[in-house]
Amino acid sequence: MTPSRKPLHVLAYPFPSSGHIIPLLDLAKRIVSRRVYVTVLITPPNLPLLQPLLLSHAPFLQPLLLPDPHQKRLFPLVSSMRHLHHPFLLSWVQSHPSPPVAIISDFFLGWTRHLARDLSIPRLVFSPSGAFALSFSYSLWRHLPVNPDPGSATSLISFSNIPNSPVYPWWQINRHYRENKKGDPEWDFHRENMLDNIASWGIVFNTFSELEQVYLNHMKTDLGHDRVWAVGPVLPPRDGDDGGSADRGGSSSVPCHDLMTWLDSRPDCSVIYVCFGSRTVLTSSQMEVLTTALEVSGVQFILSVRGPDERHVGQDVGVISEDFEERVRGRGLVIRGWSPQLAILGHRAVGSFLTHCGWNSVLEGLVPGVVMVTWPMGADQYTNAKLIVDELGAGLRAAEGITENVPEATELSEVIKRSLQENSTQRARAKELKKAALEAVAPEGSSQKELDALVKHFFELGDL
């Protein structure tokens, strides 16, 4: 009689922010659907994001509650996570009846490469950015370019070792890189984290081959191995299980049913959806430009804005004027706080998406095939906007940065109107990318095959 195989078990360790947790949970759902047990390492404040999945995916999906670091800023948060969680996880794994064969951890958690070494298992990076953006980050922190004109924020920095040789003005380079210098603890921390990512066993991207093939190929060449998997877009079906897209990540100030009813009464591709993600707060001047542009444009819109939290104390935070909603009543809706973004973008009435170009938002706009209007403000967003507008041809550039390249309201209103044109080249390209994205996650699609290959590696590790 053949002895029964031990349950195959992997760890999934997200960075404790909703924009990082949600896509890794989406990946975990796909892994457990292939009969692999996944333990999600999560802190108590973020457990509600996981809770809806536990019943529908038990016993294959389980949480492990980690001590809460009680930190907000990136450097203190990740340092505290390492200090608190490394010994905790060593002890937990060593006493587990079915120890994990691998750990998949967020891009920000480079230190888990050392945890994986101590556990004698491989560490895979989960990238919340696309392959183009991560190629840029790896090149930046490995090769350490300098500003040729230290007094200028507009000096151009070329990355000729990356396909298509992207060029950026100095002010668009990662803030942690620009503002600190070697020897500074935070600068050294970010570089060490990136080098640990580069040296890790493999990497999993929430992207798909047809979208970023040239950068995926570059990543394999740059890393010197083929353990690079593109398994995205890892998004739930619009009306699928686990609540589908309506309450993904939170609840809205406007009920999803009311939003869908409002959209139902609008013509196809007549509405622009405006949202800058779960963390970005607009300044007063940005908010004034945006709301004036929406009003002047005359188009129908949904505007989702988030309010400040403790991170924004003392900062300039834009608010919507009291009479704005009254002036646009009938053609504009304002959502304060979280919005059901997938449900909105998937509605036939929505034709374009004004976005900060966070990678989650990029994918959520690509899948329904809307035209994207780009306004990046930091991190990987400039690279994502460059990909959308310059390489994919599926979007229009609206603005860049907080103050650097912000247009007048009348100019922005023209871009908004153009984004809803019926026969534009951008709309045609967006439809092509929608088709490619859906084919990638179909049963025989490229992303499904990549995920099968990844899980096959897990089973091979389990047999060692």
Side-chain angles (χ1 to χ4, degrees):
M1 182 183 225
T2 304
S4 61
R5 181 195 288 267
K6 271 189 173 183
L8 192 68
H9 177 206
V10 300
L11 302 179
Y13 192 4
F15 180 74
S17 170
S18 59
H20 292 245
I21 295 171
I22 291 172
L24 188 50
L25 291 182
D26 288 333
L27 174 62
K29 287 189 292 184
R30 282 153 178 76
I31 293 173
V32 302
S33 73
R34 287 155 170 81
R35 314 299 287 179
V36 177
Y37 288 80
V38 176
T39 297
V40 179
L41 312 179
I42 199 160
T43 52
N46 294 301
L47 185 59
L49 291 172
L50 178 59
Q51 208 72 52
L53 310 182
L54 297 180
L55 287 177
S56 57
H57 292 84
F60 286 92
L61 189 67
Q62 296 291 335
L64 175 63
L65 285 180
L66 301 176
D68 188 354
H70 299 291
Q71 298 284 348
K72 296 297 182 183
R73 289 186 61 245
L74 180 60
F75 175 68
L77 173 57
V78 178
S79 296
S80 294
M81 290 174 73
R82 182 174 189 167
H83 175 74
L84 291 171
H85 297 173
H86 190 133
F88 180 94
L89 290 168
L90 274 178
S91 175
W92 183 83
V93 169
Q94 288 165 356
S95 63
H96 198 282
S98 297
V101 299
I103 178 170
I104 306 174
S105 57
D106 190 89
F107 165 91
F108 278 143
L109 305 180
W111 65 266
T112 55
R113 171 175 168 252
H114 305 282
L115 170 67
R117 178 201 59 205
D118 292 345
L119 296 173
S120 300
I121 60 175
R123 184 252 174 160
L124 294 90
V125 182
F126 178 73
S127 176
S129 303
F132 181 18
L134 195 61
S135 295
F136 165 72
S137 291
Y138 279 9
S139 178
L140 177 70
W141 289 99
R142 179 188 270 167
H143 299 296
L144 308 179
V146 297
N147 186 353
D149 181 2
S152 172
T154 58
S155 301
L156 298 181
I157 311 297
S158 177
F159 291 79
S160 57
N161 61 315
I162 300 175
N164 300 314
S165 299
V167 176
Y168 299 84
W170 181 252
W171 64 268
Q172 290 186 0
I173 301 297
N174 182 289
R175 178 177 61 84
H176 298 292
Y177 186 88
R178 285 185 292 111
E179 293 183 358
N180 300 302
K181 295 182 179 179
K182 191 172 183 178
D184 177 270
E186 291 202 20
W187 195 97
D188 291 343
F189 159 77
H190 284 290
R191 186 164 195 238
E192 179 186 357
N193 183 72
M194 193 62 62
L195 295 179
D196 279 330
N197 284 334
I198 293 170
S200 290
W201 185 78
I203 184 165
V204 182
F205 282 104
N206 184 15
T207 189
F208 56 103
S209 298
E210 295 81 357
L211 186 69
E212 294 192 282
Q213 187 66 70
V214 65
Y215 299 108
L216 292 164
N217 291 341
H218 166 75
M219 187 64 66
K220 292 175 183 179
T221 301
D222 193 44
L223 296 177
H225 61 73
D226 290 335
R227 294 184 299 275
V228 175
W229 294 276
V231 301
V234 288
L235 300 174
R238 185 181 170 207
D239 296 311
D241 60 358
D242 310 324
S245 55
D247 57 356
R248 172 180 163 85
S251 58
S252 171
S253 62
V254 180
C256 189
H257 176 268
D258 293 353
L259 288 167
M260 296 301 105
T261 299
W262 188 86
L263 287 169
D264 286 344
S265 65
R266 268 67 191 174
D268 290 0
C269 296
S270 64
V271 176
I272 184 170
Y273 169 62
V274 183
C275 182
F276 292 90
S278 59
R279 297 176 66 83
T280 302
V281 174
L282 300 184
T283 65
S284 299
S285 59
Q286 287 175 318
M287 185 68 78
E288 177 65 23
V289 167
L290 176 62
T291 53
T292 302
L294 288 170
E295 185 173 356
V296 170
S297 71
V299 307
Q300 300 181 90
F301 65 88
I302 293 177
L303 169 59
S304 175
V305 293
R306 63 158 295 144
D309 57 27
E310 64 274 12
R311 290 171 299 145
H312 304 103
V313 173
Q315 295 185 14
D316 172 25
V317 176
V319 296
I320 296 175
S321 63
E322 293 181 4
D323 57 348
F324 172 74
E325 288 181 77
E326 187 59 39
R327 294 198 305 270
V328 298
R329 189 173 302 280
R331 66 175 179 89
L333 281 181
V334 176
I335 302 173
R336 289 175 171 82
W338 193 274
S339 64
Q341 182 158 295
L342 278 175
I344 292 170
L345 288 170
H347 196 284
R348 57 159 185 80
V350 176
S352 62
F353 177 20
L354 176 50
T355 171
H356 69 313
C357 302
W359 190 245
N360 291 334
S361 290
V362 167
L363 293 176
E364 290 170 5
L366 282 174
V367 169
V370 300
V371 173
M372 279 182 274
V373 182
T374 66
W375 190 342
M377 298 189 196
D380 64 340
Q381 297 161 20
Y382 299 113
T383 300
N384 297 340
K386 190 184 292 287
L387 180 70
I388 293 164
V389 176
D390 299 333
E391 298 193 26
L392 300 177
L396 299 167
R397 186 171 283 105
E400 292 178 314
I402 297 172
T403 59
E404 290 84 356
N405 288 330
V406 178
E408 296 292 329
T410 52
E411 184 181 347
L412 179 57
S413 73
E414 291 302 314
V415 177
I416 288 170
K417 287 188 285 188
R418 281 177 55 207
S419 74
L420 293 171
Q421 289 176 355
E422 184 177 351
N423 297 314
S424 68
T425 57
Q426 289 82 11
R427 187 162 307 284
R429 187 68 181 121
K431 288 179 180 178
E432 291 173 359
L433 291 169
K434 172 184 178 179
K435 183 174 182 289
L438 295 177
E439 288 176 349
V441 295
E444 295 301 316
S446 61
S447 292
Q448 294 291 0
K449 291 177 180 177
E450 292 267 299
L451 186 54
D452 288 339
L454 173 62
V455 171
K456 183 173 181 286
H457 271 280
F458 291 153
F459 278 103
E460 290 170 353
L461 290 167
D463 289 335
L464 294 178

